[in-house]
Amino acid sequence: MSQFASRRLPPVPEEAASFRERMRNLRHLGRLLAQIWRTSRFLTAASIGLRLVAAVQPVAMLYVGKLIIDEVVRLSGSPAPGSTLAEWWASGSLNTIAVLLLIELGLVIGSDLLSRLTGLADSVLGELHSNTVSVELMAHAARLDLRHFESAEYQDRLERARRQAAGRNALLSQIFGQAQDIITVITLGAGLFVYAPWLIALLPLSFVPAIWGETRFNTLAYYLSRGRTPERRELEYIRHVGASAETAKEIKLFGLGGFLINRFRTLAQTIFVENRRIAIQRAGWGALFAAIATLTYYGAYGYIVWRTITGAFSIGDLAFLSGSFLRLNGLFQRILLGFTSIAGQSLYLDDLFSFFEIEPTIVPPAHPKPFPQPIRRGVEFENVGFRYPDTDTWAIRNLSFTLAAGETLALVGENGAGKTTIVKLMTRLYDPDEGRITVDGVDLRDMLIEDIHAHIGVIFQDFIRYSLTARENIGVGRIELQDDMDRIKAAAEQSLADGVIAKLPLGYEQPLGRLFNKGRDLSGGEWQKIAIARAYMRDAELIILDEPTAALDAKAEAEVFARFKSLAAGKTAVIISHRFSTVRMADRILVLENGAILESGSHQDLVALGGRYAELFDLQAAGYR
């Protein structure tokens, strides 16, 4: 059995959450209602107003029905004014019953209209609210630090929040429906109390057991779902890898289809077994509690029938009381089950709102200083040390160097030497744990993050291939200028992407990728030229290219960097590359090892030194001989 198959899911808690914990989670309902109100005040008010009117409709229907029955009984016991409808109508005997029937008809039509209008308001409000939550979720995620996105725990929390952003819309109708049912219960209870007060005492017997069951199983289902978040994310990952255009070639060539299917089936079956166990228990207990509720209702119904036989109640009273008790029984169960359901839903709301409570650790300064424009002296690392979160190993330590203004600096070293970590710190995606990083003497921590990013153009090796048009793929380099075609075309020309775009049927308006209709995919090298154009689109003071030509052949790489060298004149640049044909074009090279500078100098200096750089250069050069 594989390691994956032998893994066990987190145990389902046998005890429900404490009452205090469930009540504490209800605080999120206030935040939800405020969020709904922000979404649309008009639709929120309309939904509440319609439900207030609909809340008194059931007792009105029952009471009008009672009056109709009593009037029918009275008329049937009175002398007939004639044998035809015309004679009855002419006598005026049917006036009262006709008015009552018209009132009942109006109530029925009004009930249907209210229901449809309420459903319409809730449907539109629910969709708007889903969009509002999704926007707020993306906005908050954009505020957070890179450290959050590189954390598995954060990814679990983000996944739970995403599910709740799209899955809590039914809660809107549920909360408003609860208020409507409470008003209806009050009106029905008042009528029932007038005739037979003690019948109300039977109601708890019918719904309290069901409430206990629902509370328990709602909570168990939540904690099982929460504990399964990593497994659910893995399921989605396997589902994506097993059926996506990006992985299709390798899946077929390596014959991985069966492996992925078995892995998916094993995990899905384990989750299914846990869900089935709770579903079976819930169904069994639910049937028992439903039987108790039914017996309670028929006991009360039998008492009302007996009192009617003895003459204490009229036939209309019988209809009104039995109908009221039946509705009250159902409403009480619905209210309390709804309350426990809302309490259970509030546990899921905690997944959403607790995500909004995550605060970024890289915060703007109280009195920010502007990013130097242009850079006159350079960027300086002063005894910088950094460890990634939840690790004890220093990625870099006691690192000091200066990137002079207008200089092109190359970073060389094996994987894990600290090259990309330097870029993350230089762009303030992370803050150093020790030392400081300055631009013209100003600490990066004294600048606004947005200002830093606006003046630095970065292209990583794992750049995003946006399923957007070619124009938009370049325009994201400076999003506020995405409609500036002159600038976009200039950036494409500088990165040699213009030749790629010229071959596309729709040119700059050609959708890229195969995700959507009419999309055209590009080769790795073509995509890389599009990505490099984003850096030129930015026209930043500091340009950073992290393995920018990894997907290019030697000829294309030479063309790109010859162009880059001429265009970067007067700008400050950092290049990370494993190809020494690229590195040797830099003004200065830093050779990194274990987060420290091992060697520093120009290509000629380092080759003459005969150290680590020379060794790596000779190894790579030997591959071309």
Side-chain angles (χ1 to χ4, degrees):
M1 180 179 295
S2 69
Q3 179 182 1
F4 173 83
S6 64
R7 277 185 5 207
R8 298 188 62 183
L9 291 174
V12 180
E14 292 298 329
E15 294 298 328
S18 67
F19 178 79
R20 176 178 296 180
E21 182 179 356
R22 290 197 296 272
M23 292 301 102
R24 185 172 62 249
N25 282 315
L26 288 178
R27 74 188 189 279
H28 295 307
L29 294 179
R31 298 178 66 176
L32 177 64
L33 290 173
Q35 200 175 57
I36 295 169
W37 183 252
R38 290 198 309 270
T39 299
S40 174
R41 296 184 179 184
F42 171 77
L43 287 173
T44 305
S47 181
I48 294 173
L50 290 168
R51 291 179 185 280
L52 287 175
V53 177
V56 298
Q57 190 268 348
V59 69
M61 284 284 295
L62 284 171
Y63 191 73
V64 171
K66 161 194 154 44
L67 295 178
I68 290 174
I69 292 173
D70 285 342
E71 183 64 13
V72 169
V73 171
R74 186 187 69 79
L75 291 174
S76 63
S78 304
S83 58
T84 65
L85 177 61
E87 291 174 328
W88 277 80
W89 186 261
S91 69
S93 300
L94 298 180
N95 289 349
T96 301
I97 195 71
V99 172
L100 291 173
L101 288 172
L102 286 174
I103 293 174
E104 187 175 56
L105 175 63
L107 289 172
V108 171
I109 294 175
S111 176
D112 179 70
L113 182 60
L114 284 171
S115 177
R116 293 179 185 277
L117 289 174
T118 302
L120 175 61
D122 287 353
S123 174
V124 176
L125 182 59
E127 185 170 354
L128 286 175
H129 178 253
S130 177
N131 294 340
T132 297
V133 176
S134 296
V135 168
E136 291 182 359
L137 188 69
M138 289 188 290
H140 187 71
R143 292 181 54 239
L144 298 179
D145 307 331
L146 182 62
R147 65 184 301 168
H148 293 117
F149 291 91
E150 295 182 340
S151 162
E153 179 186 358
Y154 167 85
Q155 291 298 326
D156 287 343
R157 296 180 71 174
L158 178 58
E159 174 63 20
R160 289 195 296 268
R162 281 181 182 145
R163 290 206 309 268
Q164 304 324 315
R168 296 302 114 197
N169 286 339
L171 191 56
L172 308 182
S173 299
Q174 198 169 11
I175 292 173
F176 292 157
Q178 285 287 94
Q180 177 181 335
D181 288 343
I182 289 172
I183 296 173
T184 303
V185 163
I186 293 173
T187 56
L188 288 174
L192 191 63
F193 186 81
V194 171
Y195 287 93
W198 68 273
L199 288 177
I200 297 178
L202 288 177
L203 291 173
L205 183 62
S206 67
F207 59 73
V208 168
I211 301 308
W212 176 85
E214 284 297 311
T215 301
R216 172 177 173 78
F217 290 115
N218 279 340
T219 307
L220 288 180
Y222 166 74
Y223 281 109
L224 177 61
S225 176
R226 181 183 179 91
R228 279 200 310 257
T229 300
E231 286 76 15
R232 285 192 180 280
R233 282 204 301 120
E234 190 160 0
L235 274 178
E236 289 303 314
Y237 171 74
I238 297 171
R239 196 196 317 269
H240 171 74
V241 170
S244 70
E246 293 85 356
T247 60
K249 295 191 296 293
E250 191 160 313
I251 297 298
K252 289 182 178 296
L253 291 173
F254 290 170
L256 299 180
F259 166 75
L260 291 173
I261 290 171
N262 289 333
R263 185 160 178 161
F264 183 93
R265 183 182 290 123
T266 300
L267 180 56
Q269 177 65 20
T270 309
I271 295 175
F272 166 74
V273 169
E274 295 291 347
N275 283 336
R276 183 180 61 186
R277 180 168 72 86
I278 290 183
I280 291 173
Q281 293 178 359
R282 189 173 207 153
W285 284 104
L288 174 61
F289 298 148
I292 293 174
T294 301
L295 290 173
T296 302
Y297 165 71
Y298 275 97
Y301 187 53
Y303 170 78
I304 296 170
V305 171
W306 167 250
R307 293 297 302 274
T308 304
I309 293 173
T310 60
F313 296 150
S314 68
I315 300 299
D317 293 337
L318 169 65
F320 177 75
L321 291 173
S322 60
S324 294
F325 189 84
L326 180 61
R327 283 178 175 265
L328 276 173
N329 180 53
L331 284 171
F332 264 112
Q333 287 197 49
R334 195 161 73 182
I335 287 172
L336 293 179
L337 290 178
F339 178 78
T340 57
S341 175
I342 290 173
Q345 297 273 358
S346 69
L347 293 172
Y348 292 93
L349 284 177
D350 186 63
D351 290 337
L352 177 62
F353 287 116
S354 65
F355 175 80
F356 285 122
E357 292 170 358
I358 301 175
E359 290 295 333
T361 56
I362 300 179
V363 296
H367 304 287
K369 298 177 181 178
F371 190 95
Q373 186 179 5
I375 298 175
R376 300 186 181 281
R377 290 158 47 194
V379 181
E380 185 174 1
F381 277 57
E382 301 177 12
N383 295 316
V384 172
F386 175 74
R387 290 180 296 193
Y388 283 97
D390 303 320
T391 63
D392 296 326
T393 304
W394 291 90
I396 58 175
R397 191 80 188 275
N398 299 321
L399 183 67
S400 297
F401 70 89
T402 299
L403 169 61
E407 181 184 28
T408 297
L409 178 71
L411 303 179
V412 174
E414 297 180 356
N415 291 335
K419 304 185 297 297
T420 300
T421 298
I422 290 174
V423 173
K424 291 177 180 179
L425 292 171
M426 193 177 294
T427 54
R428 212 189 167 200
L429 293 175
Y430 284 98
D431 278 337
D433 297 312
E434 297 177 347
R436 68 176 193 150
I437 305 168
T438 64
V439 180
D440 285 358
V442 180
D443 196 318
L444 286 180
R445 284 172 287 205
D446 293 332
M447 306 179 196
L448 289 174
I449 299 173
E450 298 82 0
D451 197 23
I452 296 173
H453 294 168
H455 291 87
I456 299 179
V458 186
I459 293 298
F460 290 102
Q461 180 179 355
D462 54 346
F463 59 85
I464 299 178
R465 303 180 182 195
Y466 295 100
S467 292
L468 303 171
T469 65
R471 173 180 60 81
E472 291 167 329
N473 261 280
I474 298 175
V476 297
R478 186 171 286 278
I479 196 65
E480 66 273 15
L481 298 177
Q482 61 176 314
D483 295 323
D484 187 340
M485 282 305 303
D486 290 338
R487 184 149 180 169
I488 289 174
K489 289 179 179 179
E493 181 182 352
Q494 291 165 356
S495 70
L496 303 180
D498 57 337
V500 175
I501 297 173
K503 299 175 184 178
L504 299 174
L506 301 179
Y508 283 90
E509 298 305 318
Q510 175 70 57
L512 301 184
R514 294 179 179 173
L515 189 60
F516 303 114
N517 289 337
K518 299 182 180 180
R520 288 291 187 93
D521 205 3
L522 305 178
S523 68
E526 290 172 331
W527 270 113
Q528 201 126 27
K529 290 178 181 178
I530 295 288
I532 293 173
R534 294 174 196 157
Y536 289 128
M537 178 73 184
R538 207 157 187 78
D539 192 25
E541 284 74 24
L542 174 60
I543 301 175
I544 302 175
L545 302 181
D546 186 351
E547 292 289 349
T549 58
L552 299 179
D553 56 35
K555 182 174 182 292
E557 178 192 41
E559 291 175 350
V560 167
F561 271 96
R563 181 69 59 89
F564 172 78
K565 187 68 175 175
S566 63
L567 293 172
K571 293 184 179 294
T572 308
V574 175
I575 298 174
I576 298 176
S577 180
H578 286 94
R579 294 184 181 181
F580 287 89
S581 57
T582 299
V583 169
R584 67 189 301 170
M585 300 174 66
D587 300 318
R588 187 160 53 100
I589 301 168
L590 298 184
V591 182
L592 300 171
E593 187 173 82
N594 297 322
I597 297 175
L598 186 64
E599 298 170 0
S600 175
S602 67
H603 171 74
Q604 292 78 8
D605 293 339
L606 294 177
V607 169
L609 184 64
R612 182 62 173 161
Y613 179 87
E615 177 187 352
L616 293 173
F617 178 75
D618 288 340
L619 285 173
Q620 191 170 110
Y624 291 95
R625 296 187 185 122

